[in-house]
Amino acid sequence: MHLLSRPHITFAFSIFAALMIVFTIGGRNTVHAQGSPPPGPVVFKGLVTVGGAPAPDGLSIVAKITPILLVPYESLPQLTLGGEYQLLTVGPPSSAYLYQNITFHIVPNALVPHLPADGIAAMEITMFLGGPGISDGHTLTFPALPLAPTPTPVPPTPTPVPTATAVPPTPTTVPTATPVPPTPTPVPTATAVPPTPTTVPPIPTPVTVIVVATATPEVAEQETAGTCGQSGVADLSYLLAGVALLGLIWRRKTRS
């Protein structure tokens, strides 16, 4: 008896879960054509190449069925990872989609927002035969994706330069001079200065020189001889004494 390995069991369980989801959604939300039940879904898995190289991570892949007389069908998207896709489930709403062609597309998403709305179709086309079934190893080959358009530089909008508005000069208010009363200057009070005593040199006291005439016998005889002779000699003596006195006084003043 052949036992399934763990990866195969996990993959089979994933397929089973996807089929149950499709059946549940189809049973609740789909109107069957002519009362026929919807066909079983088919789960696809395989490698993905874009422009001859493994697909980058994050591309959205969908399956589409576009019959002529029916509403186009599109599956839920699956993201590429490690150059492959998994669990791409195709489950149209009625058996009227049986034996119609299935096309695979890379549609726009956040990674490639510049792709057309219909997406980029793969070279592989297969027929929907109903299920449930698994199509393992279904390789998808896509052409090179278009490059993102180069954004056109937008010239900067010129900033309008505001026109300078002439502002009239503000008149300067000249402050009115406040009269300041003159400060009275204090008049100094006259201080009485006592007079400086002037030292007056003492006036020398005149020295009176008294000349005493000694009468000789001859004079006595002469006095006796005549009064006129005595009177003339006395007057001459008095005159000489006065002159001598004046000379002495003048000499003392000169020395002082």
Side-chain angles (χ1 to χ4, degrees):
M1 181 176 179
H2 179 68
L3 297 177
L4 296 176
S5 63
R6 191 171 208 173
H8 288 84
I9 294 175
T10 303
F11 179 70
F13 180 76
S14 301
I15 298 253
F16 176 75
L19 293 176
M20 291 300 296
I21 293 172
V22 171
F23 285 145
T24 303
I25 295 175
R28 292 181 180 179
N29 301 325
T30 305
V31 178
H32 302 160
Q34 298 178 357
S36 61
V42 179
V43 179
F44 292 88
K45 172 187 175 183
L47 299 177
V48 183
T49 59
V50 177
D57 296 345
L59 297 179
S60 296
I61 297 180
V62 298
K64 295 182 180 183
I65 299 177
T66 55
I68 297 175
L69 301 177
L70 299 176
V71 178
Y73 166 81
E74 182 175 321
S75 68
L76 295 176
Q78 293 296 328
L79 298 179
T80 58
L81 180 63
E84 62 180 19
Y85 70 101
Q86 294 185 10
L87 301 179
L88 181 60
T89 303
V90 180
S94 71
S95 59
Y97 291 87
L98 288 171
Y99 312 111
Q100 300 291 331
N101 289 332
I102 303 175
T103 57
F104 301 89
H105 304 259
I106 296 178
V107 294
N109 63 4
L111 182 64
V112 283
H114 60 279
L115 296 183
D118 293 338
I120 304 297
M123 298 177 61
E124 290 78 12
I125 298 176
T126 187
M127 184 177 291
F128 179 66
L129 301 176
I134 299 174
S135 179
D136 194 4
H138 190 82
T139 301
L140 298 179
T141 306
F142 292 92
L145 301 181
L147 298 176
T150 304
T152 304
V154 179
T157 304
T159 304
V161 179
T163 305
T165 305
V167 179
T170 305
T172 304
T173 304
V174 180
T176 305
T178 304
V180 180
T183 305
T185 304
V187 179
T189 305
T191 304
V193 180
T196 304
T198 305
T199 303
V200 180
I203 300 173
T205 303
V207 178
T208 305
V209 178
I210 300 174
V211 180
V212 178
T214 303
T216 59
E218 295 179 358
V219 173
E221 293 179 358
Q222 291 178 0
E223 289 178 354
T224 303
T227 304
C228 292
Q230 292 178 351
S231 178
V233 173
D235 292 336
L236 180 60
S237 299
Y238 288 147
L239 179 60
L240 292 176
V243 172
L245 180 61
L246 293 176
L248 180 61
I249 293 171
W250 180 82
R251 186 177 180 183
R252 285 178 174 271
K253 287 184 177 182
T254 302
R255 289 182 178 179
S256 299

